Amino acid sequence: MINREWHLLSRPVGWPKPEDFALVETETRAPAEGQVLVRNKYLSVDPYMRGRMSAAKSYVAPFELGKVMQGGAVGEIVESNAEGFAAGDHVLHFGGWREYATIDAKGAVKVDPDLAPLSTYLGVLGMTGLTAYAGLLRTASFKEGDSVFVSGAAGAVGSQVGQIAKLKGASRVIGSAGSDEKVKLLVEEYGFDAAFNYKNGPVSQQLREAAPDGVDVYFDNVGGDHLEAAIGSLNERGRIAICGMISVYNSTEPVPGPKNLGRLIQTRGRIEGFLVGDHYDLQQQFVQEVGAWVASGELKYRETVVEGIENNLEAFLGQLRGDNTGKMIVKL
């Protein structure tokens, strides 16, 4: 069978350009012992992938030039050479950015399309959902009564953070987003107490107006002026969980840090970065609790679905621009 897959040709400088990538045709490879051949149905594109396009040392190896890129995917096994896996099984794995993937079975997790739509295993019930859950409850040490500010709040992670905080008893949840339509969604559908469009004025001023009594927890997906604003509004013993800094991912020059870090001395505040990979011990608890909220309708989610492997790159660039509402998914 002919397979189409995306290769990285050159390492982007600044914003990735189409000529940095190529969609190439290859032949599928029959699974060796312990492997399965999967026909992908849904692919994930995520902001962290921008970091993997650089050769800079990071927490995960960079994409190799001239080779297929990787990412989360859900698909159906078409051929198995691994015990415990059969043709027709659906699996979550990391062989995305391609139509077919021959992978080691030990890197695949069975998922049930009858329990939840397959796409949700890439979003609300997948890595992005666990990121929200672990970052808020463990890294930020959220407790009932906290006031919570979330940047990038209409995205896959941010929208879930805000809703979990409300379900866990937050006194107030504030979100920032990049359009008035997204602001409306945060308040009217996701139940945020307040939200603002960061393009409508200084973030620090809008945050003070939305949270006049300050914030106890800030969940950072953006960095830059949002982080500085959150430090300025942080209450005593406030906690900041750094999940991502999408505002600086495509910068070509070093980006200055917040000018008000000294305020953390006054507030005894804490900033901590985290990686979801450090928190997979919470997976079972997360699926049980969040799965129940999704099933009951208490936790809502959105997906932005782009059709076709040929549009995988555009979907990736779109979520860097903020075109998506909720999780950005590519459907094959």
Side-chain angles (χ1 to χ4, degrees):
M1 292 179 289
I2 297 299
N3 177 43
R4 289 184 294 172
E5 58 185 35
W6 282 95
H7 289 196
L8 182 66
L9 299 184
S10 57
R11 303 205 180 278
V13 177
W15 273 89
K17 303 179 292 295
E19 52 265 35
D20 294 323
F21 309 84
L23 180 62
V24 302
E25 289 190 352
T26 63
E27 290 187 4
T28 58
R29 179 170 55 85
E33 186 175 352
Q35 293 187 323
V36 293
L37 172 61
V38 182
R39 179 173 65 85
N40 287 330
K41 292 189 172 184
Y42 293 94
L43 308 179
S44 177
V45 290
D46 302 280
Y48 81 87
M49 293 173 175
R50 176 61 184 87
R52 295 197 68 188
M53 295 172 188
S54 167
K57 186 176 181 181
S58 185
Y59 61 89
V60 63
F63 291 130
E64 295 184 62
L65 294 181
K67 294 188 177 181
V68 64
M69 294 186 288
Q70 300 168 324
V74 176
E76 181 180 354
I77 294 176
V78 295
E79 186 178 349
S80 173
N81 196 7
E83 186 176 351
F85 292 86
D89 288 344
H90 291 86
V91 292
L92 171 67
H93 61 96
F94 209 63
W97 287 77
R98 70 196 96 180
E99 292 175 309
Y100 290 87
T102 301
I103 57 171
D104 292 336
K106 63 182 180 182
V109 177
K110 288 185 183 180
V111 295
D112 188 346
D114 294 327
L115 291 181
L118 287 175
S119 60
T120 62
Y121 293 104
L122 295 174
V124 66
L125 295 179
M127 184 178 71
T128 52
L130 181 59
T131 299
Y133 189 86
L136 176 69
L137 302 182
R138 178 175 281 175
T139 306
S141 304
F142 171 86
K143 60 183 184 299
E144 186 177 355
D146 279 343
S147 173
V148 178
F149 172 44
V150 187
S151 59
V157 174
S159 60
Q160 206 155 336
V161 170
Q163 291 183 83
I164 292 172
K166 290 293 290 185
L167 289 163
K168 289 284 190 178
S171 61
R172 187 168 178 79
V173 175
I174 304 100
S176 72
S179 72
D180 293 339
E181 181 181 9
K182 289 181 179 180
V183 166
K184 183 178 180 181
L185 172 72
L186 292 176
V187 175
E188 295 185 0
E189 184 168 329
Y190 292 154
F192 283 58
D193 296 289
F196 61 85
N197 182 345
Y198 67 84
K199 297 176 182 177
N200 288 346
V203 175
S204 56
Q205 179 182 335
Q206 293 195 77
L207 178 57
R208 283 195 299 271
E209 292 172 355
D213 297 323
V215 296
D216 302 300
V217 168
Y218 170 49
F219 193 103
D220 190 17
N221 291 305
V222 174
D225 55 355
H226 281 74
L227 178 56
E228 186 167 297
I231 293 172
S233 288
L234 202 65
N235 289 332
E236 187 173 313
R237 306 288 178 185
R239 290 88 63 203
I240 296 175
I242 305 292
C243 176
M245 292 192 171
I246 198 169
S247 68
V248 303
Y249 285 167
N250 294 303
S251 299
T252 57
E253 300 293 335
V255 178
K259 298 188 293 291
N260 57 348
L261 281 173
R263 192 170 186 277
L264 295 173
I265 302 170
Q266 172 190 342
T267 61
R268 288 75 122 193
R270 170 169 62 85
I271 299 180
E272 183 177 349
F274 74 98
L275 298 174
V276 66
D278 296 333
H279 302 282
Y280 280 117
D281 60 299
L282 293 175
Q283 178 74 27
Q284 185 174 359
Q285 173 185 324
F286 155 72
V287 171
Q288 289 177 344
E289 189 165 23
V290 175
W293 287 333
V294 172
S296 68
E298 293 174 276
L299 193 148
K300 299 175 175 60
Y301 68 93
R302 290 280 191 98
E303 295 174 341
T304 299
V305 180
V306 174
E307 301 259 355
I309 187 69
E310 64 275 7
N311 294 315
N312 212 83
L313 176 59
E314 179 55 31
F316 168 73
L317 296 175
Q319 52 90 42
L320 288 182
R321 292 190 299 262
D323 294 350
N324 56 304
T325 299
K327 184 76 182 80
M328 181 72 90
I329 301 283
V330 177
K331 181 180 181 181
L332 304 187

